[in-house]
Amino acid sequence: MIEKKLDIEVLSIWDDAKQMLRKAEKEGIETAWDRLMQQTPHCKFGETGVCCRLCTMGPCRISKKAPRGVCGADADVIVARNFGRFIAGGSAGHSDHGRDCIEALHAVAHGETEDYTIKDEDKLFRIAAEVGIETTGRETLDVAKDLAADFFENYGTTKGKSSFISRVPEKRQKIWADLGITPRGVDREIAEMMHRTHMGCDNDAANTMLHATRTCLADGWSGSMIATEISDILFGTPSPRSSQVNLGVIREDQVNILVHGHNPIVSEKILEAVQEPELIALAKESGAAGINLAGLCCTGNELMMRQGIPMAGNHLMTELAIVTGAVELIVVDYQCIMPSLVQIGSCFHTKMVTTADKAKFTGAEHVKFEMQNGMEQARKVVRMAIERYGRRDSARVEIPCDPVDIVTGFSNESIIRALGGSVDPLIEAIKAGKIRGVVGIVGCNNPKYKHDHCNVNLAKELIKKDILVIATGCVTTAAGKAGLLVPESISMAGPGLQEICGALGIPPVVHMGSCVDNARILQLCGLLAGELGVDISDLPVAASSPEWYSEKAAAIGTYAVASGIDCHLGHPPNITGSELVTNLALTGLKDLVGASFLIEPDPFKAADLLDERINSKRLGLGLEQ
Ligand code: XCC
Ligand code: SF4
C-alpha cells in the first residue's frame, strides 16, 4: 500500500503513467492519487464493514464498547448485510448491461432499428438451439425474437432458472440445489438481496452470505453470460487479431476520440462513424490528418476483442489519458467512469459526452443513444470531436512512449478452433502437465496499490510456472503493456507452456475480453469439467483479482467461488469486522461450495499460493505434477 506522501515513482510501474502524473503535478491537475491521499486514513468502521446505515434508528457502528446496533444487530449481521448489498450492486451492473443487450436484440428482431443488425447468425442459431428454441427452417429474425424473449425471462421470477444452466456440470448443479443457491432470476435475486438486508429480515450472517452467492451466480451464469453472447451475436464473435496498447495509441496529428465504459452498443456505432469518408474529410478540413479512435477500460476491451481498436489505458489511466492534452472527446456509456474526468477535461479542450440516461455526469454533454438513432448520434458525437480539435493547445500536448503490440480476440469459439475443434488438446496438455493449470486474472486498478504492479507480476510468475493465464477487464491493458499478450512472450513462460503455446502460436497470456466476458471463462470451465466428467472445483483452475476496486469485481469473485473456482484477491472486501463472515470467505465456503477466497497483496506470494492450489487439484485428479 502507498505511503502518505505522493512520490510519483512509486505510484505506477509505467513510464506513460509517471510522465503524465508529473505533467499533472506541474499543471496543478488533481488525480485519483491526490484524492486518495486526502481520504487517508480511511474510516475504520467503514473499512471493516461494521458501520450500518440501513435505518434511521442508526447509523450504528460496532465497537467493543457498543457491540450491537440500536436494533440489536451484531457485527456479523451488519457485515454480511453490507457485503450482500455490495455484490447486489455489482451483479446489477453487469446484469442491467445484459438487459440492455437483450433490448437491443429485441429491437433488431422486431425491425425497430436499421442501425443494428445480426452480425453472427451462426452464433444466434447455435445459442438459440442451446437454450431450447426451435431453429430448423426458421427465419433469422424469428429466432432472434424468441431468443430475446427467452433471455428476458432470465430476469424475472417465472422461469426460475438460467437459460445456460446446462453449461453447469451436473455435480455443480447438485451442490447448488442442496444449498438452495441455484439462481432463479437475475432481478429476483438482486431484489431479494435488498429485501433480506432490510432491517429486521435476514439476521443470520451465514444465511445472508449464501444468498449473496446465489445473487452472484445469477450474474455470472445469466446476466453477464447473456451480455457476452448477445454482444457476439450483434457485433461478431471475437477471433484473434492484432492491436496496440498504452497512451502512445493517442495520435498527435489526429482528432482523438476515446470510448469508455462497458457496453459496445454505443462504441460500435462511434467506430462506424469515424470510418465514414465525409467525417474523415471534415476532420482533414479542420487540419487533422484523420480521426483516431481508442478505448479505455471495458468498452475498450469490447472494441479491441471484436475490431482490434487500440487501448489507451485501464482504469487508472483514464484521467491520465486526458492529461496528454491531445484528447478531443471522451464518449462514455456506463460503469467505472470517474466523475473527475469532467473536471480534468475542463482543464483542457476535452469534451465529455454521456449517452445513457442512467449514467449522466454533471458538466458533460448528454447525447442520448437509442436503438433507433445510434448512427445519427454517433455522427453527431464525432462532429463534436472534430470541432474540438481546433481548440487544442498544441503547446500542452505530450504523448508519452510508443504503443506496444498485442494479440487479442480469444473467445471460446476461436480458442476451440485454434485447438482443432475441441478442448481435447487442452485437456491433454493439462494431463501431461505441460499446462499445469489455468488462472483467470481479472479486474481493476486501485490507487492503493502501485498501479499494475500486482497485475503484471502475478501474470509473469504464473506463466513461469507453466500456468496459462487468461486476462480480462483492466488486467488486459496491464498484461499488454508488459508485452505479455504477444506470442513472442512465450520466452517468459515455463518450458511446458512454451511448447504448447509455441505450437499453437498463441501468447501464454490470452485476452478473453471485458468484465462481463468472465462468463466466457465460466463456460470454458464448464466445458472442461464436462469433458473430464468432474466438477469445476476439481479442475486445476483458479481466479484472481489482485488490484480490484469495484462492486462488480466482488460479484465476479463470488460467482467464481460459488462455481467452484478458488479466487485470490489482493485485499479483502470490507468484511474483516466480522470473524464469522471472514472465516466463511476464507475457509467455510470450501466445505460448502468446494472453493474459497485467498487474500495476498504480494503478487509473488500470491503466485505461490495459487500454484499450491493448482497442485492440489492436479493431485486430486491423479495427475502427476
Ligand atoms: Fe472497471 Fe470493467 Fe474493474 Fe476495469 S476491470 S476497473 S470493474 S473497467 Ni472489470
Ligand atoms: Fe442500526 Fe440496526 Fe438500523 Fe443498522 S438496522 S442502522 S444496526 S438500528
Side-chain angles (χ1 to χ4, degrees), residues 51-62 68-74 78 81 197-200:
C51 167
C52 183
R53 293 176 297 115
L54 291 182
C55 86
T56 63
M57 293 192 286
C60 301
R61 28 186 230 184
I62 300 306
R68 286 178 185 271
V70 176
C71 67
D74 62 11
I78 290 171
R81 287 196 304 212
T197 50
H198 186 279
M199 185 272 168

Side-chain angles (χ1 to χ4, degrees), residues 94 261-262 297-298 301 314-315 335-336 442-445 472-475 514-515 518 549-550 552-553 556:
H94 291 142
H262 282 78
C297 287
C298 280
N301 278 314
N314 54 7
H315 184 55
Q335 299 168 19
C336 298
V442 312
C444 324
N445 293 140
T472 63
C474 286
V475 173
S514 63
C515 328
N518 288 315
Y549 91 89
S550 74
K552 292 178 294 166
I556 292 166

Side-chain angles (χ1 to χ4, degrees), residues 2-6 8 11-12 17 20-21 24-25 28-40 42 314-323 336-344 445-449 451 549:
I2 282 154
E3 292 299 320
K4 183 109 190 170
K5 195 178 131 337
L6 263 197
I8 287 172
L11 299 186
S12 176
M20 288 304 102
L21 279 163
E25 189 182 63
I29 296 164
E30 186 186 86
T31 66
W33 287 275
D34 298 297
R35 293 186 299 271
L36 173 64
M37 200 167 58
Q38 294 159 18
Q39 290 293 339
T40 311
H42 293 287
N314 54 7
H315 184 55
L316 278 177
M317 295 304 293
T318 58
E319 295 183 308
L320 302 182
I322 302 177
V323 177
C336 298
I337 300 143
M338 294 198 214
S340 64
L341 298 190
V342 179
Q343 282 89 56
I344 299 188
N445 293 140
N446 185 325
K448 290 177 175 176
Y449 294 89
H451 172 220
Y549 91 89

Side-chain angles (χ1 to χ4, degrees), residues 305-378:
M305 281 282 282
R306 296 195 182 84
Q307 319 290 0
I309 294 306
M311 176 80 87
N314 54 7
H315 184 55
L316 278 177
M317 295 304 293
T318 58
E319 295 183 308
L320 302 182
I322 302 177
V323 177
T324 60
V327 176
E328 273 58 55
L329 186 143
I330 297 191
V331 53
V332 305
D333 47 271
Y334 37 59
Q335 299 168 19
C336 298
I337 300 143
M338 294 198 214
S340 64
L341 298 190
V342 179
Q343 282 89 56
I344 299 188
S346 70
C347 300
F348 294 90
H349 68 302
T350 309
K351 190 179 184 84
M352 171 104 156
V353 172
T354 55
T355 58
D357 282 354
K358 58 186 131 199
K360 289 192 179 183
F361 288 64
T362 307
E365 180 154 345
H366 194 57
V367 180
K368 181 174 175 168
F369 268 65
E370 289 174 293
M371 288 307 288
Q372 293 75 19
N373 68 4
M375 250 346 276
E376 184 190 323
Q377 298 298 72

Side-chain angles (χ1 to χ4, degrees), residues 155-390:
Y155 284 68
T157 54
T158 50
K159 186 174 168 105
K161 64 176 179 3
S162 162
S163 291
F164 292 115
I165 192 77
S166 61
R167 292 183 176 184
V168 182
E170 265 163 38
K171 289 182 182 168
R172 182 64 16 193
Q173 289 190 38
K174 176 145 192 326
I175 292 170
W176 293 350
D178 291 348
L179 289 170
I181 58 168
T182 307
R184 298 160 296 180
V186 171
D187 291 347
R188 177 174 194 168
E189 305 312 354
I190 294 167
E192 188 173 314
M193 191 80 250
M194 298 308 283
H195 178 192
R196 281 179 184 236
T197 50
H198 186 279
M199 185 272 168
C201 273
D202 201 356
N203 284 292
D204 181 276
N207 201 44
T208 307
M209 292 300 284
L210 271 184
H211 186 71
T213 65
R214 186 188 224 175
T215 305
C216 296
L217 287 172
D219 171 0
W221 294 91
S222 281
S224 288
M225 205 167 264
I226 286 170
T228 291
E229 301 299 39
I230 295 182
S231 298
D232 284 358
I233 289 169
L234 292 178
F235 303 114
T237 304
S239 56
R241 63 192 70 233
S242 304
S243 188
Q244 291 189 313
V245 281
N246 80 25
L247 289 185
V249 307
I250 295 171
R251 309 289 286 272
E252 182 149 14
D253 59 348
Q254 304 207 7
V255 173
N256 289 298
I257 301 175
L258 301 183
V259 286
H260 183 9
H262 282 78
N263 193 327
I265 288 176
V266 169
S267 49
E268 284 277 350
K269 293 301 115 177
I270 302 282
L271 172 60
E272 280 179 38
V274 301
Q275 292 165 338
E276 289 187 345
E278 306 86 75
L279 288 171
I280 295 173
L282 189 63
K284 287 187 173 161
E285 271 170 42
S286 314
I291 312 172
N292 179 43
L293 186 68
L296 293 168
C297 287
C298 280
T299 282
N301 278 314
E302 297 275 347
L303 275 197
M304 175 179 255
M305 281 282 282
R306 296 195 182 84
Q307 319 290 0
I309 294 306
M311 176 80 87
N314 54 7
H315 184 55
L316 278 177
M317 295 304 293
T318 58
E319 295 183 308
L320 302 182
I322 302 177
V323 177
T324 60
V327 176
E328 273 58 55
L329 186 143
I330 297 191
V331 53
V332 305
D333 47 271
Y334 37 59
Q335 299 168 19
C336 298
I337 300 143
M338 294 198 214
S340 64
L341 298 190
V342 179
Q343 282 89 56
I344 299 188
S346 70
C347 300
F348 294 90
H349 68 302
T350 309
K351 190 179 184 84
M352 171 104 156
V353 172
T354 55
T355 58
D357 282 354
K358 58 186 131 199
K360 289 192 179 183
F361 288 64
T362 307
E365 180 154 345
H366 194 57
V367 180
K368 181 174 175 168
F369 268 65
E370 289 174 293
M371 288 307 288
Q372 293 75 19
N373 68 4
M375 250 346 276
E376 184 190 323
Q377 298 298 72
R379 289 187 193 109
K380 186 167 159 186
V381 170
V382 173
R383 266 186 236 110
M384 284 176 179
I386 295 170
E387 185 270 325
R388 286 275 152 161
Y389 182 76

